[in-house]
Amino acid sequence: MKVFLVVIAFCVVSFLATGQVVKFRIEGMVLDTVSHKFAYLTTLSQQRTISSDKLFVMAPIKNGRFNFEGEFELNGEFYQNACLFFDKRANISKKEVASKFYNLIWVVGRDENLKQIILEDMNIKLSAGNIRDSMELLREGKFTKQLKILSEMKKTPKGLESFIAMFPDSPVSFYSLEGIYEAYIDRNFERLLRDVGEPYAMFNLLSERLKRSEKGKRLKENMDSFFKK
């Protein structure tokens, strides 16, 4: 029994030391196999806060299908954003992609050949060359589903506040609030307060798990520093 407890304790310590690991399986169907011969998946981005050079993989498209499967250590994050793109070339390097993002030659959300996704299980269908607008999700992970719900709710006044109330324990709620806090710093405070909501009210809607996390504590400290100065 003592040996069993020691093993369990060792596993717990090892988990805490290495952090949470997310498993993902991203597969899909591509109809245009003339211009799309290889699929690329990377955690690189022009957005410094969510970018990571730890993942850069290529998969050949065979009979119109491709597949990515693996694990990613989150290192204190709740989930990881990634970028999906397709090309004729099989020799695109991580260095080349990093340079394009760094010099803003590629910008996720602007360029039609790039699609930002969350690193989780999903099945996609691409019917045209414009992956940004034409990618269809045949099966999606829970965070991707929540982002779609949030996108619709944000079209209404204080939609984010309503979303957080609906999903208080979701990382999507936390990251959205974190992004709004940063917007309060840089933009029209009064307009955001009216249209989006009061930051502390939204923070208090979060679950205790998120509020007590290291990221939650840091956000609260940053909010206190900005709003109570």
Side-chain angles (χ1 to χ4, degrees):
M1 184 63 179
K2 288 183 178 179
V3 173
F4 176 75
L5 291 175
V6 168
V7 171
I8 291 295
F10 176 78
C11 291
V12 170
V13 170
S14 297
F15 175 79
L16 292 174
T18 57
Q20 185 180 357
V21 173
V22 61
K23 294 182 179 181
F24 63 89
R25 180 180 176 85
I26 300 168
E27 53 191 345
M29 176 192 309
V30 178
L31 301 187
D32 177 10
T33 55
V34 175
S35 56
H36 298 335
K37 296 183 180 297
F38 300 92
Y40 288 83
L41 177 68
T42 180
T43 47
L44 288 167
S45 170
Q46 84 281 355
Q47 297 163 289
R48 301 290 187 269
T49 55
I50 62 172
S51 182
S52 167
D53 64 356
K54 291 184 178 179
L55 180 66
F56 185 85
V57 288
M58 180 272 284
I61 298 172
K62 298 180 179 179
N63 299 318
R65 304 199 71 89
F66 69 91
N67 174 66
F68 295 106
E69 189 169 4
E71 296 182 348
F72 189 89
E73 190 169 320
L74 293 175
N75 289 327
E77 299 295 334
F78 296 125
Y79 61 69
Q80 176 62 47
N81 285 287
C83 178
L84 188 64
F85 67 94
F86 301 87
D87 205 274
K88 291 180 180 179
R89 294 167 51 198
N91 62 344
I92 296 177
S93 68
K94 180 166 68 172
K95 183 178 180 181
E96 177 184 345
V97 171
S99 175
K100 286 182 176 179
F101 278 131
Y102 183 79
N103 292 295
L104 300 182
I105 298 170
W106 280 6
V107 176
V108 176
R110 182 195 71 188
D111 293 272
E112 63 180 28
N113 64 318
L114 306 170
K115 183 68 175 181
Q116 182 173 302
I117 61 173
I118 293 178
L119 208 55
E120 59 180 347
D121 293 349
M122 65 178 62
N123 191 322
I124 74 167
K125 178 182 178 182
L126 184 63
S127 55
N130 182 346
I131 180 176
R132 183 194 61 198
D133 302 322
S134 65
M135 192 180 88
E136 179 184 353
L137 286 165
L138 305 179
R139 178 173 54 85
E140 55 197 359
K142 65 176 182 179
F143 297 139
T144 303
K145 287 180 182 178
Q146 290 175 12
L147 279 174
K148 288 174 66 176
I149 295 171
L150 174 61
S151 178
E152 289 302 311
M153 294 182 73
K154 284 173 69 175
K155 295 176 183 177
T156 61
K158 298 191 177 180
L160 174 57
E161 187 170 338
S162 299
F163 178 86
I164 296 174
M166 185 182 296
F167 298 100
D169 196 46
S170 170
V172 176
S173 293
F174 181 87
Y175 284 131
S176 299
L177 177 56
E178 190 176 51
I180 286 298
Y181 156 72
E182 293 171 357
Y184 272 90
I185 297 175
D186 299 329
R187 301 178 189 172
N188 187 310
F189 180 87
E190 294 300 328
R191 184 183 64 80
L192 285 169
L193 197 65
R194 181 187 69 245
D195 297 342
V196 179
E198 201 279 317
Y200 282 105
M202 289 188 283
F203 182 85
N204 289 332
L205 288 172
L206 293 173
S207 68
E208 289 302 314
R209 179 184 75 89
L210 290 178
K211 286 190 286 190
R212 292 176 180 174
S213 68
E214 289 303 313
K215 291 183 71 65
K217 292 176 183 176
R218 194 177 310 122
L219 176 59
K220 178 63 163 55
E221 290 173 359
N222 289 339
M223 288 171 59
D224 289 345
S225 176
F226 177 71
F227 293 112
K228 295 183 178 181
K229 60 185 177 182

